[in-house]
Amino acid sequence: MANRIDYRRGDATCPQAKGPKVIAHVCNDRGGWGRGFVLALSRRWPEPEAAYRRWHRERASNDFGLGALQLVQVQEQVWVANMVGQHGIRVGRSTAVPVRYKAIDAALAKLAEPVLALGASVHMPRIGCGLAHGRWEEIEPLITARLTDRGVAVTVYDHD
């Protein structure tokens, strides 16, 4: 039973584990994809960006919005979890912080079931702490409560 987050140096787009793997990351609610971790994802696979953009474009008829989750299969045993946990995009000197902790919590809660069903491990950068300007001290307990406390192995990668 996993009960703690494993921290390691490396690239979250190259998960270091056997078996099914889910790479989780935070997206914004404006349909923007082009800065931060998503660039590394897009360099490896076109599917997560294409799926996210379609999901956003068709949002009038689907569940796209803060707290939503989209799982995109990119390899036989690898999925990318697009989690909408950022409101807008911070621009210039704006003091508004885009991270939305409740939305990240909701998306992580939705992620738990398919991950457990797949018997997958979860791999991620420090979600919500880059362009979303979130605080890891706020996000880490959400990951613990929603995933590791339920037996999901979680690895967080700090890029060199």
Side-chain angles (χ1 to χ4, degrees):
M1 190 109 171
N3 59 4
R4 65 175 188 78
I5 298 170
D6 179 31
Y7 290 91
R8 61 176 63 176
R9 290 224 166 275
D11 181 354
T13 68
C14 300
Q16 303 299 305
K18 295 193 184 313
K21 296 168 273 300
V22 175
I23 299 168
H25 73 107
V26 168
C27 305
N28 65 69
D29 64 353
R30 298 284 167 86
W33 182 290
R35 290 179 59 211
F37 183 71
V38 298
L39 294 178
L41 285 173
S42 291
R43 277 193 292 273
R44 286 186 58 84
W45 307 286
E47 299 91 347
E49 177 180 358
Y52 169 79
R53 290 190 185 277
R54 185 171 46 257
W55 189 31
H56 177 262
R57 191 170 51 250
E58 299 170 0
R59 65 192 176 280
S61 60
N62 65 36
D63 67 343
F64 183 91
L66 286 170
L69 168 74
Q70 180 188 54
L71 267 183
V72 181
Q73 190 164 10
V74 294
Q75 285 178 227
E76 186 179 337
Q77 291 200 46
V78 181
W79 290 260
V80 170
N82 292 333
M83 302 187 303
V84 185
Q86 176 181 330
H87 178 61
I89 302 165
R90 191 173 190 175
V91 186
R93 296 195 169 145
S94 167
T95 57
V97 174
V99 70
R100 294 296 181 267
Y101 298 110
K102 286 183 181 173
I104 291 172
D105 187 46
L108 287 167
K110 291 173 185 155
L111 180 61
E113 290 308 316
V115 164
L116 288 165
L118 289 167
S121 54
V122 175
H123 304 265
M124 63 180 74
R126 290 188 188 239
I127 58 169
C129 294
L131 297 172
H133 297 277
R135 296 181 36 192
W136 188 247
E137 308 80 63
E138 302 279 331
I139 293 170
E140 184 183 46
L142 305 177
I143 295 166
T144 299
R146 298 300 186 177
L147 299 175
T148 61
D149 283 355
R150 296 192 62 191
V152 175
V154 175
T155 303
V156 172
Y157 297 80
D158 288 313
H159 204 275
D160 293 329

